[in-house]
Amino acid sequence: MEGFIALYIFMLAAFTGYEIISKVPVILHTPLMSGSNFVHGIVLVGAMVMMGQAETGMQTVVGFVAVVLAAGNAVGGYVVTERMLEMFKSSGGKK
Amino acid sequence: MNFIVDTSYFIAAILFILGLKQMSSPMTARRGIIWAGVGMVLATIITYFHKDIQHNYFWMTVAIGVGGAIAYITAKKVKMTDMPQMIALYNGMGGGAAAAIAAIVLMQNDTSHGVTHQSLAVLGALIGTIAFSGSMIAFAKLQGLMWKVYRFKNQQWINLGVFLALVLIGLYMSFSGQDYSMGLLVAFFVLALVFGVMMTIPIGGADMPVVISLYNAFTGLAVGFEGYVLGNPAMMIAGVVVGSAGTLLTQLMAKAMNRPITNVLFSNFGEGGTGEAEEVSGSMKEIEASDVAVMMAFAEKVIIVPGYGMAVAQAQHKVWEMSKLLQDRGVTVKFAIHPVAGRMPGHMNVLLAEAGVPYDIIYDLDEINEEFATADVSLVIGANDVVNPAARTDTNSPIYGMPILNADYAKNTIVIKRGKGTGFSGIENQLFFADNTRMLYGDGAAATSELISGIKDL
């Protein structure tokens, strides 16, 4: 990929992240941190690609570890976030 | 097929951003995480058709199964009070994954892609590894596996030395354009692991949320950089969005604690004060649960200040039960939440929501601080430093300047506390010695149960 296009992507993504968080009420900070933790679980995709093109046994092993860790990040991040937000919904309903 | 793969990644990136956006409001938050989840599933499945994957499909699936199952079981089981360290753990796993990806890229030792490619791989490796080992230490500390704060002489200088070594090796691998030995690569990762550990061990438990948030941002950046290396825009966008959002969140948290981020990282909690803290005069005055029950039942307004101690005692359900009894008697009950109550901003809100306390009686510091003066009783349960008046007056106190809840302005202050010890920061609390303060000793849940039966007996 062209270096400058990548730079533009990085810049726009950085602004997007900043904008999203700047309007968040304090009560949602913990779930949001957890939610953003889940989103970087997308590293799983990269781990899979890397493992799929591993050239040596060593690389395959490291790739395997990468996929295990990344899957843990994605699944764990999702489940804890969902559990937290689920409770928020029920308490809001009682009003 | 390539087109379908690229389109799916694009859709996933949109879903992540929209999902995070919806998580910024309580009404749509749950939909937000589900959207992001859909994006993740889509991206994962479509990756099986990625052109760069040639083999290892079976073991890849096994790895997803293993990692996913372990995370699923632990995430389902974890108690709400232990949430912060689990976030640290899963975040560390993500950082480790980004570092491992970088390790393979660097192992292939192929510098033909150019300097940008190579240096971003190195940078991602460095940040990801630090996020990994740092998060693991944060997890261990919050889980109570490692209580001590380790400090030794010249720690800052050693850290600086390690960091400079990392920078030098990193620059060499990025810009020399020559093949480097496997030994150098291993040394790089070992040093980065050590640096993450060294950076985290001197930081006390109270500052840990800020650090976890920082490592969360680190992992995001590492993922973004590795996304460039792999030519994967979904990783680039998701990673950098999290990187910048996490950085802002870290600043917000540090601000709520009145601790500049540099203080959190480079000094130690308790070193802020220059001299001895002011002598505390007076004595702690004990009170019986039945007397507190009477006091609250005939009050007009009661403000409850919950702290982490309440959560540890799992007393939030009892506290809400007690609040409902008081409400039935016509008492106005409000909850006052300090920004750092619990272990992260918003953590206490999650815990109260778990117990079923509705939103509209939970207030932030800014919203409620004026009201303490008009309250008949402020009930402090398991909170300590966040109600310490020393933060207002005592310039020598390490917590001087931190915004606190004005629990001491109420006509009567009741403090439920397990014993006579000091708080998380080890600072004596002047509130406990004030004239209008009474101490109710005991476990949060047990003491609240006594209060409930006391109110019922009236």
Side-chain angles (χ1 to χ4, degrees):
Chain A
M1 195 180 303
E2 285 293 322
F4 265 101
I5 294 181
L7 205 57
Y8 280 115
I9 294 178
F10 281 147
M11 179 198 70
L12 292 172
F15 273 111
T16 309
Y18 196 88
E19 271 303 303
I20 288 171
I21 293 283
S22 59
K23 288 168 202 131
V24 172
V26 178
I27 54 163
L28 282 171
H29 276 180
T30 293
L32 203 87
M33 177 160 139
S34 181
S36 59
N37 178 37
F38 162 68
V39 167
H40 66 53
I42 187 69
V43 70
L44 175 58
V45 167
M48 289 167 72
V49 171
M50 236 31 238
M51 189 181 174
Q53 50 175 295
E55 289 160 7
T56 63
M58 180 70 184
Q59 289 178 13
T60 309
V61 171
V62 177
F64 186 84
V65 172
V67 176
V68 170
L69 290 175
N73 182 186
V75 174
Y78 183 84
V79 174
V80 293
T81 312
E82 222 268 337
R83 275 184 63 195
M84 277 191 258
L85 292 176
E86 188 183 30
M87 294 178 324
F88 273 93
K89 194 188 168 206
S90 64
S91 74
K94 266 180 196 164
K95 271 205 286 193
Chain B
M1 200 63 218
N2 281 341
F3 177 75
I4 300 175
V5 172
D6 287 341
T7 311
S8 304
Y9 284 157
F10 183 68
I11 294 170
I14 293 176
L15 284 171
F16 289 151
I17 292 173
L18 289 179
L20 277 174
K21 178 76 202 151
Q22 295 199 330
M23 273 186 241
S24 60
S25 155
M27 299 310 289
T28 55
R30 184 136 187 249
R31 202 187 325 146
I33 183 67
I34 291 172
W35 282 26
V38 170
M40 191 68 75
V41 171
L42 174 71
T44 308
I45 291 174
I46 208 72
T47 300
Y48 277 99
F49 303 98
H50 195 285
K51 62 177 173 11
D52 290 344
I53 300 185
Q54 289 122 20
H55 53 110
N56 283 339
Y57 287 100
F58 173 72
W59 287 109
M60 200 181 288
T61 313
V62 170
I64 295 174
V66 170
I70 294 172
Y72 184 83
I73 294 165
T74 50
K76 276 283 177 196
K77 270 210 262 181
V78 62
K79 284 190 300 223
M80 281 298 150
T81 41
D82 295 339
M83 219 40 112
Q85 56 260 48
M86 292 317 278
I87 297 175
L89 181 67
Y90 300 135
N91 176 51
M93 292 173 89
I101 292 172
I104 300 176
V105 172
L106 295 172
M107 264 192 258
Q108 288 171 348
N109 215 335
D110 177 5
T111 45
S112 63
H113 294 293
V115 171
T116 317
H117 181 97
Q118 188 75 4
S119 53
L120 281 185
V122 170
L123 207 53
L126 177 62
I127 300 172
T129 310
I130 293 173
F132 170 72
S133 61
S135 295
M136 290 303 158
I137 297 292
F139 167 77
K141 282 203 170 192
L142 289 180
Q143 188 71 15
L145 301 174
M146 197 177 119
W147 262 114
K148 256 185 78 184
V149 172
Y150 294 89
R151 282 170 214 167
F152 43 87
K153 249 179 134 181
N154 299 329
Q155 192 161 359
Q156 310 279 11
W157 292 108
I158 295 172
N159 283 0
L160 186 67
V162 173
F163 186 71
L164 284 177
L166 281 167
V167 170
L168 286 177
I169 300 177
L171 286 176
Y172 178 77
M173 288 197 293
S174 306
F175 295 104
S176 70
Q178 289 164 10
D179 287 359
Y180 40 84
S181 69
M182 190 70 184
L184 189 71
L185 189 60
V186 172
F188 181 74
F189 277 101
V190 170
L191 280 176
L193 281 172
V194 169
F195 187 74
V197 172
M198 298 268 284
M199 203 171 134
T200 321
I201 50 171
I203 297 170
D207 284 333
M208 226 25 111
V210 180
V211 177
I212 295 174
S213 178
L214 184 71
Y215 288 144
N216 187 38
F218 273 20
T219 305
L221 281 181
V223 171
F225 291 157
E226 297 313 324
Y228 173 83
V229 173
L230 300 179
N232 186 320
M235 275 172 76
M236 289 168 71
I237 293 170
V240 174
V241 164
V242 171
S244 79
T247 307
L248 181 60
L249 200 54
T250 309
Q251 281 171 350
L252 290 176
M253 285 190 192
K255 208 173 135 198
M257 296 169 76
N258 195 38
R259 301 259 296 140
I261 186 74
T262 47
N263 272 21
V264 173
L265 292 178
F266 301 118
S267 77
N268 305 301
F269 205 79
E271 280 187 356
T274 45
E276 287 292 303
E278 265 175 31
E279 275 297 307
V280 182
S281 57
S283 60
M284 297 198 206
K285 293 161 282 287
E286 217 175 322
I287 192 169
E288 292 295 319
S290 51
D291 295 332
V292 179
V294 173
M295 197 188 275
M296 290 197 298
F298 292 99
E300 273 181 27
K301 192 195 297 183
V302 173
I303 299 179
I304 299 175
V305 181
Y308 189 66
M310 179 198 77
V312 171
Q314 287 291 311
Q316 58 268 41
H317 298 274
K318 293 273 182 205
V319 169
W320 175 227
E321 191 186 337
M322 179 189 77
S323 311
K324 278 188 288 191
L325 284 174
L326 290 173
Q327 285 178 333
D328 291 344
R329 299 183 64 98
V331 182
T332 308
V333 180
K334 293 185 174 180
F335 285 83
I337 311 280
H338 191 274
V340 293
R343 286 195 162 167
M344 296 197 292
H347 189 204
M348 190 54 68
N349 302 72
V350 173
L351 296 170
L352 289 176
E354 186 192 14
V357 181
Y359 270 124
D360 42 5
I361 64 169
I362 302 178
Y363 296 88
D364 284 344
L365 182 132
D366 295 336
E367 294 169 333
I368 198 147
N369 242 354
E370 299 286 309
E371 280 199 44
F372 277 104
T374 62
D376 299 293
V377 179
S378 61
L379 181 67
V380 179
I381 306 177
N384 192 338
D385 296 330
V386 299
V387 290
N388 191 344
R392 280 198 298 259
T393 53
D394 183 0
T395 49
N396 284 330
S397 176
I399 59 168
Y400 177 73
M402 179 174 90
I404 59 157
L405 288 163
N406 297 328
D408 54 331
Y409 288 0
K411 289 192 192 77
N412 298 284
T413 306
I414 307 295
V415 179
I416 299 181
K417 202 168 175 303
R418 189 184 278 272
K420 294 186 182 180
T422 51
F424 216 51
S425 58
I427 305 158
E428 202 66 81
N429 193 337
Q430 294 173 2
L431 173 70
F432 301 164
F433 299 89
D435 288 336
N436 59 345
T437 301
R438 296 290 178 274
M439 307 297 290
L440 178 58
Y441 290 113
D443 172 75
T448 315
S449 298
E450 285 179 43
L451 291 178
I452 290 171
S453 55
I455 296 167
K456 277 183 180 162
D457 288 346
L458 289 174

